[in-house]
Amino acid sequence: MPSLTEISPDQHAPPRTKGPELAVIVPTFNEHDNVIPLVDRLQAVLGGIDWELIFVDDNSPDGTADAAWDLAAQYHNVRCIKRLGRRGLSSACAEGILSTNAPFVVVMDGDLQHDESILPAMLAKVRAGADIAVGSRYGGEGSSGEGLSPIRQWGSTLATRLATLVAGQELADPMSGFFMVRRDLFVDVAPQLSAEGFKILLDLVVTATRKGTAPAIAQVPYVFRPRHAGESKMSPLVVLQFLGLWLSKLSGGVLPTSFLLFALVGFSGVAVHLTVLWLLTSVVPETFLLAQVAATIVAMTWNFFLNNSLTYADRKLHGAKLWTGLLGFYVVCSMGGVANISIASMIYEARPAPLIAGLAGALMSSVFNYAVTRIFTWK
Ligand code: GDD
Ligand code: MN
């Protein structure tokens, strides 16, 4: 890998009389060893184009931002936004895009998995009138090459099908993290985009379509490469966040992703509750009431920690706030439990259908718990 001093400043960039035409947005988390090779490669393919590079780093512990700022000291067209106290790929991309006035922006991973050599072709597409040019791993001769494990390959295919369903148009690779877009289109839909998860392209297409006109999308195939250095941040959490986003889009955005995740967590809590109850009562059958109390506490604790790292990953509580948050959560959920029972018995009195009454009670308490903890616990 070349060292900083081996890279000569870019003397071939066209003279700057106005802002750049293309902004390359690179979200980073622990990509220290990748930033120099990335700039090298961009230099090699973007000759003759007036471009800038914006790293958006979420305070990576490995010092990625320092490495990016070192580069910024050498190149007039490189800068780095360092965000404190926040995490998230989608929101990092949005912030980078909103920090430039280049008419075209491209989002690209910082780990060299995206093939930069297709950038001129993508630019040609948007210059020619496409709203979005997607770097597609499946379309045409593009493929996911060596970059994905079989499990991820399968998950990716499934996600592609689900995504095409909500996007309203056929997309070869709606899960792509590599796409170029007209800046004004992005700015227009940005307020409605979800800040959570990895799937900003899908969100962009669906949101723009719902606002009126389906964006004209061009696809440019490429081969997804293995990661250069460091580790992937893809996790089960990211997958669940994707499912939440998908359901939210399917509901026409009426149900927020966080509510759907909250409800999903609630469901898992019911399973935990019943398991604990069953275990305790099969050991000591006489103590049903005590077992029920214990199961409730275990399930509430489970729900709290799962919501803290999944539903509210972007505002996760730590340290003392974690414990006061847990206590507050117990209080809110107990109130939710009272709401559940009162609504259910009210409905049952009017019409003795236990299933409907039970469901209405459960729905009432989840909406209540969601709304109140959103205000007091995860503000
Ligand atoms: N600022 C910021 N904050 N950057 C992040 C964060 C975050 O919380 N999480 C990940 N990144 C950065 C990484 O540093 C990398 O540059 C890029 O986002 C992609 O992250 P990876 O962890 O390498 O993701 P991946 O390779 O598993 O996923 C890729 O393929 C997916 C489809 O399978 C990405 O291109 C995804 O966007 C794409 O959907
Ligand atoms: Mn990657």
Side-chain angles (χ1 to χ4, degrees), residues 31 58 87 109-111 113 152 175 199 227 232-233:
E31 305 288 0
D58 285 355
R87 270 297 304 275
D109 288 354
D111 57 5
Q113 290 200 270
R152 281 218 35 196
M175 318 311 295
K199 303 307 160 201
R227 169 175 262 281
S232 168
K233 282 98 216 167

Side-chain angles (χ1 to χ4, degrees), residues 274-297:
L274 294 179
T275 312
V276 174
L277 193 64
W278 173 75
L279 278 176
L280 291 180
T281 48
S282 51
V283 179
V284 239
E286 313 71 71
T287 56
F288 178 78
L289 194 66
L290 207 65
Q292 170 72 353
V293 171
T296 307
I297 293 174

